[in-house]
Amino acid sequence: MKADKKWVFTLFFTAFISIIIFITSIYNFSSSYTLTNSHKPISTVHRGTGYPPAFAYYISGSRGDGDRIFRLLLAVYHPRNRYLLHIGTEGSDDERMSLSFALDYPLVTQDDMSHAFSSISRDANFIDHTSDLGWKEGQRITPIVVDPGIYLARRAQIFRATEKRPLPNAFKVFTGSPWVILSRSFLEYCIFAWDNLPRTLLMYVNNVILAEEVYFHTVICNSPDFKNTTVNADLRYMVWDDPPKMEPLFLNKSNYDEMVESGAAFARQFAKNDPVLDMVDSKILKRSGNRVAPGAWCTARRSWFVDPCSQWDDVNVVRPGNQVKKFEESLKSVVDDSRVDLNQCS
Ligand SMILES: *[C@@H]1O[C@H](CO)[C@@H](O)[C@H](O)[C@H]1NC(C)=O
Ligand SMILES: *[C@@H]1O[C@H](CO)[C@@H](O)[C@H](O)[C@H]1NC(C)=O
């Protein structure tokens, strides 16, 4: 009885909180509507064929990465996109820390992204992969690990079994970069899992260190319907030490020209608030302070006290900027390479 009451209270409390959030959002919506858009209604987002591609971002960071995540969000914001932000609570393992995505920064605007991606197939999956496991076979794939974070509320050190397991023979293991750009159709295949493969592999990678470097790569390369859609690239600019370490070198102003010439979509990795990020903001993203990177959807007259994105125009049109040519060229060249390269997923 007592427990029941507690549960009801929790339910009530949750309902109350959600109502508050709901009302707040309506209030914000109507106030910005009346203040900034007295003539035109805010345009609705249209997605699908005939409209520019939209992106869903998963941005992840460790404890203390809050500011970085916020800056990255402002740099990649577009009303057509969706964002899922994640901050790991403890991040006690170095390996887990190394995976924070907030160390990346875009080298193109979201209008550039949409524009360039509208000229290629929407079924393409940008996923850097190889079946040549090298040292990863013995250090990442065959050891059996248990991550307590999956089962317990508190994260602790990953538990390593003393036994190893042989490589599976029901499927071929692939590995590669954890930074991927996946198509909606492939993600639906992974999530709805009408085929057993995505589910089977999810159970398998439960006990693999850094599953982010194995899961999607192995699923896609073992799926006859999707392996032809892979483009073997992660669209990132990185500089590696010689010999390479776990993570690429930190980029600074001395890398700016080469980075911009590369035609990559993102660069990695940056120290928090490195001055080179301000260069990217002012020269490429045209972004300042705590404002989002503007796009064709922003229509207010730009000034030091007015954020151009405080007024929206049609969010279904994009206007590419000065980096788009380089980016489009490099995008087309990796897509063409994958077409002639019959070694996709080999
Ligand atoms: C994938 O490409 C190969 C080789 O070009 C072709 O034989 C096969 O039919 C393609 N599969 C699909 C599902 O498109
Ligand atoms: C930039 O990075 C390079 C390579 O890591 C380093 O040698 C150089 O000293 C750095 N420059 C500045 C201004 O920090």
Side-chain angles (χ1 to χ4, degrees):
M1 189 64 199
K2 225 174 182 177
D4 274 353
K5 265 194 183 147
K6 210 166 164 185
W7 186 79
V8 168
F9 176 73
T10 314
L11 184 71
F12 177 74
F13 189 68
T14 318
F16 185 64
I17 296 262
S18 14
I19 285 172
I20 290 185
I21 292 169
F22 184 60
I23 292 175
T24 317
S25 55
I26 290 186
Y27 174 74
N28 281 345
F29 178 77
S30 56
S31 62
S32 63
Y33 179 81
T34 46
L35 279 179
T36 60
N37 248 335
S38 40
H39 311 295
K40 271 186 282 182
I42 288 174
S43 79
T44 39
V45 173
H46 296 293
R47 297 196 178 85
T49 35
Y51 293 102
F55 301 88
Y57 280 84
Y58 169 55
I59 302 177
S60 167
S62 312
R63 188 169 42 180
D65 277 345
D67 294 345
R68 277 182 146 139
I69 289 183
F70 186 56
R71 183 170 186 166
L72 178 56
L73 177 65
L74 295 174
V76 297
Y77 182 75
H78 194 288
R80 301 178 57 70
N81 295 346
R82 296 282 171 90
Y83 302 87
L84 177 62
L85 309 181
H86 169 247
I87 297 189
T89 47
E90 291 187 297
S92 54
D93 285 301
D94 289 347
E95 282 160 332
R96 222 196 314 267
M97 297 282 270
S98 74
L99 264 175
S100 61
F101 294 76
L103 302 175
D104 294 41
Y105 212 65
L107 300 177
V108 292
T109 66
Q110 291 309 293
D111 278 9
D112 293 342
M113 283 277 279
S114 267
H115 178 82
F117 271 81
S118 59
S119 62
I120 60 160
S121 162
R122 293 201 187 186
D123 290 326
N125 289 286
F126 293 81
I127 183 161
D128 162 273
H129 64 271
T130 176
S131 64
D132 181 8
L133 303 178
W135 62 269
K136 284 191 182 175
E137 179 177 332
Q139 289 184 33
R140 296 270 185 81
I141 313 295
T142 57
I144 303 170
V145 301
V146 177
D147 182 350
I150 296 174
Y151 307 98
L152 306 172
R154 273 183 71 80
R155 283 213 140 147
Q157 209 69 21
I158 285 177
F159 169 79
R160 287 159 204 264
T162 46
E163 294 286 307
K164 291 194 170 190
R165 55 181 169 180
L167 280 183
N169 49 22
F171 50 85
K172 190 167 174 183
V173 178
F174 286 78
T175 182
S177 164
W179 303 293
V180 294
I181 301 179
L182 305 173
S183 67
R184 183 183 182 116
S185 52
F186 176 60
L187 279 175
E188 281 176 349
Y189 168 73
C190 292
I191 293 166
F192 298 126
W194 55 87
D195 185 10
N196 267 328
L197 182 72
R199 209 171 8 247
T200 309
L201 284 173
L202 200 55
M203 290 190 281
Y204 180 77
V205 300
N206 239 333
N207 304 106
V208 168
I209 306 167
L210 291 182
E212 295 88 331
E213 295 183 6
V214 178
Y215 181 67
F216 290 119
H217 317 67
T218 306
V219 174
I220 202 161
C221 284
N222 285 276
S223 315
D225 290 344
F226 289 97
K227 71 198 257 189
N228 279 9
T229 64
T230 56
V231 177
N232 205 346
D234 66 2
L235 306 179
R236 272 179 170 69
Y237 176 81
M238 294 183 262
V239 178
W240 295 91
D241 208 353
D242 184 23
K245 305 221 165 60
M246 274 286 284
E247 277 289 314
L249 293 174
F250 281 94
L251 302 171
N252 59 37
K253 279 186 164 176
S254 68
N255 305 102
Y256 182 81
D257 291 336
E258 210 181 289
M259 188 164 86
V260 169
E261 281 299 305
S262 73
F266 295 91
R268 173 179 186 88
Q269 60 180 335
F270 297 97
K272 191 172 175 178
N273 292 331
D274 190 282
V276 71
L277 295 177
D278 299 332
M279 270 172 99
V280 173
D281 276 348
S282 72
K283 294 191 181 188
I284 300 174
L285 305 177
K286 316 285 185 211
R287 193 187 84 77
S288 56
N290 274 344
R291 293 180 180 177
V292 301
W297 57 279
C298 307
T299 55
R301 188 183 288 272
R302 172 191 287 270
S303 76
W304 64 268
F305 60 92
V306 177
D307 181 348
C309 303
S310 59
Q311 274 181 25
W312 291 21
D313 198 356
D314 190 350
V315 295
N316 303 303
V317 294
V318 297
R319 191 187 313 119
N322 51 13
Q323 261 302 97
V324 79
K325 254 195 136 72
K326 283 260 148 51
F327 177 50
E328 227 170 10
E329 274 166 22
S330 78
L331 193 64
K332 286 217 170 95
S333 104
V334 288
V335 170
D336 288 347
D337 282 353
S338 74
R339 254 193 231 124
V340 292
D341 182 10
L342 296 174
N343 299 329
Q344 269 173 318
C345 291
S346 62

